[in-house]
Amino acid sequence: MKALITLFFVTTAFLATSQDQVQVFESSKLKLNNQGESIEQSTETPTIITIDLDAKNLNITSPSEEVNKLLKGETNLKIDKQMGQMREQYSLQLNEFILAHFYLDMNVIILTRSDVHPLKWGIQFQETSRQ
């Protein structure tokens, strides 16, 4: 009986700590900082953010010209480093200088650059939902 209970708890703990290897988020409400100008917009077609941990990439498909302009057309970003466990709050370092901060408990995903002040360059996906 003890072995069965131990097996149950080990299996439960393993399942609780396992991570989804592919995660998809969408957002239609954006807040952008471009050269110090703050821009808020809503789009009919949502922005789709796909994270594939096995392939080590994050892909952003956005109808927003401003998002594509800030990303300089690079919408398929390489994940260089994962900071924190993939839970309610974590961050990813992308393409060396871009940081993606996930605040899933607040339904917000923020992209910043490590070489530019966030008020000069930043993308905030608000009211984000997980697909």
Side-chain angles (χ1 to χ4, degrees), residues 9-61:
F9 283 117
V10 169
T11 304
T12 303
F14 174 75
L15 292 174
T17 59
S18 67
Q19 300 175 359
D20 293 334
Q21 295 302 306
V22 176
Q23 297 181 21
V24 180
F25 302 94
E26 67 177 42
S27 173
S28 294
K29 188 172 181 184
L30 307 169
K31 187 174 182 181
L32 308 143
N33 289 328
N34 186 5
Q35 301 294 322
E37 179 184 357
S38 182
I39 303 165
E40 290 189 38
Q41 62 180 226
S42 295
T43 57
E44 278 188 42
T45 306
T47 295
I48 306 294
I49 302 167
T50 305
I51 302 169
D52 186 339
L53 293 175
D54 287 335
K56 293 194 178 280
N57 78 34
L58 180 143
N59 187 285
I60 299 173
T61 305

Side-chain angles (χ1 to χ4, degrees), residues 57-89:
N57 78 34
L58 180 143
N59 187 285
I60 299 173
T61 305
S62 181
S64 170
E65 290 180 30
E66 286 82 7
V67 168
N68 294 317
K69 183 178 172 183
L70 282 169
L71 293 172
K72 298 181 181 176
E74 293 185 44
T75 57
N76 193 24
L77 306 166
K78 181 180 152 239
I79 298 173
D80 294 326
K81 183 178 177 183
Q82 177 181 329
M83 295 164 277
Q85 292 191 357
M86 307 287 277
R87 304 217 187 226
E88 293 300 313
Q89 295 184 4

Side-chain angles (χ1 to χ4, degrees), residues 94-109:
L94 311 167
N95 285 19
E96 190 175 359
F97 293 112
I98 298 176
L99 298 171
H101 309 282
F102 293 81
Y103 302 100
L104 303 180
D105 52 343
M106 296 182 284
N107 300 321
V108 175
I109 298 172

